[in-house]
Amino acid sequence: MKESFPKGEYVDVPGLSEVATLGEGATQGFSLNPGRHGGVADPAAEDFDFESGLRSWTRSSSS
């Protein structure tokens, strides 16, 4: 939480949270699915090797 809200105050964070109006909610069928309102995080902002992580997870889950 401190990483996304370092000042302890709410801010829109792409891929995590966004303030939506009632009108925007109505347009989305009042779905609270985060992808409809928070959007998608910038993959370049993440320092994570997805392929390596997936291989590691696959090996550990098959044991």
Side-chain angles (χ1 to χ4, degrees):
M1 291 298 283
K2 289 182 181 182
E3 182 180 304
S4 296
F5 308 103
K7 295 181 181 180
E9 297 175 3
Y10 176 82
V11 293
D12 287 348
V13 178
L16 177 65
S17 62
E18 175 185 77
V19 172
T21 66
L22 282 174
E24 291 167 330
T27 301
Q28 298 295 332
F30 295 102
S31 168
L32 298 179
N33 181 318
R36 291 183 180 224
H37 300 286
V40 178
D42 178 10
E46 294 186 24
D47 185 21
F48 179 74
D49 181 359
F50 179 78
E51 288 184 38
S52 175
L54 183 59
R55 275 191 225 105
S56 174
W57 177 81
T58 302
R59 274 187 245 121
S60 67
S61 65
S62 65
S63 304

